[in-house]
Amino acid sequence: MKVNWRMLLAALGLVAASETSVLAQEGGGAGPMEQGSRLYAQNCAICHGDDGRAVSPDFPSLAESESVEDLSLIVANVHQGVAIMPPFPWLSDEEIAAIASYVRNSWGNAYGQVKAEDVAAIRADLEPASEMRTIWEGVYTAEQAKHGKAVYDGACALCHGRRLDGVPEDRDMLPGPPVGRAKFLRNWDGRSLGALYSYTRWTMPKSNPGFLSEEDYASLLAYMLEVSGVPAGDSPLPADPLETGLIRITPKQ
């Protein structure tokens, strides 16, 4: 039996049934939408929300948003970052097209599908992508991590545990996500320090997000890396998502 993937996606809530007609009219299929859904979940949902409604007022909502009609804006922001949004220069034209197609045709949006050649034409007019590096190339200093530990003990340990394993000090509290060691690295594998910085800076701690200084948040990340066995270097981790967005979190090499 032939499966109607558009209807299946609609049933799963990935695309509203009224929105699938847009893709059908333009010859679209489930491929770009499914790929876009997966890439969005990996790279975008942590800030923009699973449903396109931002997890913090500091992040723009993508649901029922006229701004996502502007493909040039989407491509430029993904390619080079903007404000508190880190860049994603490692994404290919096809992958950005898939994300754009998904965002432009979900959550009340109906702006049509995007092709890889559309993305390539826009990127050709942008500055070349900056060089990427990984967390294993000495991206923070030992002194910065030392300061980060002091900040962590005062602001984070109650919920995430003294060992950064997500086990709270108060056993009556629900466990939080680990923020250090192997499981933390696995959970964030493939994402950037820029995404981690922005998410932490504007959503943590949940009781009072953003009350620390930008340098304190960068120091927290340095401490998280140190506890995870990532070696220190000679330069401190910058408090800038556009710069830290060029540093990818990967398994130990």
Side-chain angles (χ1 to χ4, degrees):
M1 181 178 68
K2 185 177 180 180
V3 178
N4 187 323
W5 287 106
R6 285 190 292 273
M7 294 304 295
L8 178 58
L9 285 170
L12 292 174
L14 295 178
V15 185
S18 62
E19 294 161 355
T20 59
S21 61
V22 176
L23 301 182
Q25 292 170 5
E26 299 191 6
M33 290 297 289
E34 286 184 318
Q35 183 187 23
S37 173
R38 175 179 56 80
L39 289 167
Y40 178 89
Q42 169 71 13
N43 298 287
C44 316
I46 189 169
C47 293
H48 292 289
D50 293 331
D51 58 357
R53 302 184 188 279
V55 301
S56 165
D58 294 285
F59 302 133
S61 176
L62 302 178
E64 299 177 284
S65 172
E66 294 181 358
S67 66
V68 300
E69 182 180 8
D70 188 343
L71 180 59
S72 295
L73 179 66
I74 295 176
V75 174
N77 288 353
V78 172
H79 176 77
Q80 59 195 19
V82 60
I84 63 175
M85 177 176 169
F88 298 84
W90 63 85
L91 292 174
S92 68
D93 294 337
E94 179 183 12
E95 289 172 328
I96 295 178
I99 292 174
S101 293
Y102 179 70
V103 168
R104 285 160 53 91
N105 295 282
S106 299
W107 319 306
N109 300 320
Y111 294 116
Q113 200 164 353
V114 179
K115 298 179 180 179
E117 48 264 39
D118 300 328
V119 174
I122 296 171
R123 286 179 108 174
D125 292 329
L126 300 175
E127 292 292 328
S130 299
E131 186 176 350
M132 297 289 302
R133 52 183 176 148
T134 73
I135 57 174
W136 303 98
E137 298 176 53
V139 299
Y140 71 95
T141 65
E143 186 65 26
Q144 188 180 31
K146 181 179 179 181
H147 175 67
K149 181 182 187 307
V151 176
Y152 179 89
D153 288 343
C156 313
L158 179 63
C159 295
H160 293 282
R162 292 289 172 184
R163 291 177 50 80
L164 288 73
D165 55 4
V167 179
E169 293 184 328
D170 185 346
R171 298 299 176 172
D172 291 330
M173 295 176 62
L174 293 174
V179 292
R181 298 185 168 82
K183 188 172 183 180
F184 159 71
L185 293 180
R186 287 197 302 271
N187 289 345
W188 281 84
D189 181 21
R191 295 171 176 170
S192 73
L193 281 183
L196 179 59
Y197 176 85
S198 288
Y199 178 77
T200 305
R201 169 74 174 81
W202 278 275
T203 69
M204 293 290 147
K206 289 189 177 297
S207 59
N208 190 16
F211 87 97
L212 299 169
S213 70
E214 295 180 349
E215 290 71 23
D216 282 346
Y217 281 104
S219 295
L220 277 174
L221 266 59
Y223 177 55
M224 291 158 64
L225 293 176
E226 181 182 66
V227 173
S228 301
V230 178
D234 298 326
S235 299
L237 186 68
D240 182 352
L242 298 184
E243 293 187 54
T244 51
L246 300 174
I247 306 171
R248 293 192 78 181
I249 301 170
T250 64
K252 190 171 184 178
Q253 300 176 340

